[in-house]
Amino acid sequence: MTIRTARPNRAQHFQPRLYCLKKLESILLEMQDTKSGVKGTEQKLNITTIPHVIAGNDTIAWISNKMKTTTEEAQAFGTMLVAYGYIYPLQNHKKLVMCNDSSLYRFQTPYFWPTQKWVPDDSDYGIFTLLLHAVCLCFKQAHYNHLHEWLNHKWDFIVMQAAEQYKAGKERKKPDRVVFDCQERAYWMVNRPPVSLSNSNMFYQQAIMRSKVKSSVSLGALVKYITTYKNHDPLLASCLPSNPWQTDHDAYWTLNMRRVEVPTKMRVERWSFSLFELLSDLRGRDDFKIFLKKEFSGENLAFWEAAEELKWGTSSSMSTKAETIFKTFLAPGAPRWINIDGRTMGLTVKGLEHPHRYVLEAAQTHVFLLMKKDTFFRYLKSPTYKDIQKKALNPEPHNFSPANLEQNALNRSPGIHPIILWQQEEEEKAKAAAASAPVDVKAMMSKIDRKK
C-alpha cells in the first residue's frame, strides 16, 4: 500500500531573497520614523517644493550610527537600497548610487517596493515612455522608433492610455505630479534600465572594425607578459624579505610604503614596464615629476593628475574643479597650457559647459599617449632613473622553517570584533566624560556618611 503525502506548498519553502527584502523594509521603516529616523525636509526643485527630501550624507550617517559600521560600508548599504528601488535620487535619475554628499533622495512609496511583486509589463513601460517623451522631451527619436517597432501590435492602446494618464496628471497639483513622476521613473529605472543605443552601436562597430591578430602573435604577447611579470606575482614568486601574512614580520610593508624614501629594486624595475605602472605607483610618479621639472615640461602630468582628481572626486566639487582645470590648462593664455590637437580641444571645451566625471577623457588620453611615446622613454634613459636604480634596496630573504611558521600560526591571537572595539571606545569616552565633569561635593559627603 502506497502512502501518499501532501505536496508542500511553494510558499511554505524558505525564500532567502524575500527574507532579505523583508529585513531591508524593516530597516527602511525605521529610517522613515519621524522621531528617530533620517531627517527629512522640504526642498525646492525646479520652482516646485518637494516634501520629505533626505540628503545622501544624512542617510549614510544614520546607517553608520544605526549599524555601527564604517562610512564606506554604510554607503555601500545605501547604494543597495537605491539599487533595489527603496530610495531614489531626485536630481540624477540614471545614477543609482548613494553619494556621501548633499545629493537629494526620497523614499519610494511602498506601492513600488519589490515585495509587491508587480510584474513590469511591456504596455505599462510603453505608456510611461510616451508620457516621459511628452512631458520633458528627453527621449531620442531612435529610442522612440525602437519602442514603436517593438510594441507595434498594441500601439494604439498604448497611445490612448498615455493620453488619458496625461490628462489625469494635469488635474493633480504640481508637487504631487512631480513626486509621482519621480516615483514611477525610479521604478522603471530599476526594472527597465535604459540602454543607450548609440553607445552600444558604437561599441559593436569598434569591435567589428578592430584589426584581427594571428594566434601566434597573440600567444607571443601573452608569453612576453608572463615573462615580464612572473617575478612580481605574489603567487609565482615569494615576497621579499618575507611574507607578512605567514611570518608576522612587517618589513615587507615598511619597505613598500606608498611614498617611501628609498624604494626596492623590484619596485623600481616595475616602473620600466609601462607608463601606467609608473603613474600607478605614487613613489614612481614623484620621481617622474622630478625629471619633468628638470625639463620644464610638467604641465602634461599635472593635467593628467587633475583629470584623475575630477574623475574620482566628489560630485559636489565637480563644477569648481572643471572651471579651475579650464583656466589652468585649456583657456587661451593659460599659465600651464597643454598642447593638444584642435579637435580634442574643441570637444573638451564644449563638454566643460556641462561638466561630468569623464568630460576630460579624450584630452587625458591624448596627453597620456604623448607622455608614453616621448617623455617616458627619455625618463628611463635619464640620470634621474639611473640614480634611483643605484639607490634602490635589495632586501635579503628571511628563511623561516616550516616548524617556525606552524608555531607562529599557533601563537597568533585572533582579532578583536569591531563591535567589541566600539563598545570599549564608548566606555572610555564615558569614563573621560565622567572624569571631566564637575564633582558634587554634597553627594560625595553623603556617600561617606552612609559608609560610616
Side-chain angles (χ1 to χ4, degrees), residues 307-348:
E308 285 290 298
E309 188 177 351
L310 177 68
K311 187 186 298 183
W312 302 107
T314 58
S315 57
S316 57
S317 61
M318 197 177 300
S319 300
T320 307
K321 288 180 181 178
E323 185 179 357
T324 304
I325 291 171
F326 174 75
K327 292 179 180 179
T328 308
F329 300 99
L330 302 173
R336 307 193 72 181
W337 187 76
I338 58 171
N339 186 17
I340 58 177
D341 62 274
R343 181 176 177 275
T344 306
M345 178 68 80
L347 290 173
T348 305

Side-chain angles (χ1 to χ4, degrees), residues 7 46 78 123 127-128 145 172 176 186 261 320 329-330 369 380 390 408 419 429 443 448-449:
R7 180 178 295 179
N46 298 332
S123 301
I127 294 169
F128 161 75
N145 296 336
R172 296 193 188 100
D176 297 339
E261 185 176 353
T320 307
F329 300 99
L330 302 173
L369 292 176
L380 296 179
K390 292 177 183 178
N408 185 60
I419 294 180
K429 289 180 182 178
I448 293 172
D449 293 339

Side-chain angles (χ1 to χ4, degrees), residues 165-180:
Q165 290 191 22
Y166 182 75
K167 292 178 182 177
K170 282 288 187 182
E171 297 176 358
R172 296 193 188 100
K173 295 181 180 179
K174 190 172 182 180
D176 297 339
R177 186 167 67 247
V178 172
V179 168
F180 182 77

Side-chain angles (χ1 to χ4, degrees), residues 64-91:
S64 178
N65 185 47
K66 176 69 177 178
M67 298 185 173
K68 305 298 185 294
T69 60
T70 61
T71 305
E72 291 77 12
E73 292 176 342
Q75 187 173 3
F77 184 79
T79 300
M80 182 177 66
L81 292 177
V82 175
Y84 273 103
Y86 288 110
I87 299 175
Y88 61 89
L90 278 177
Q91 294 163 315

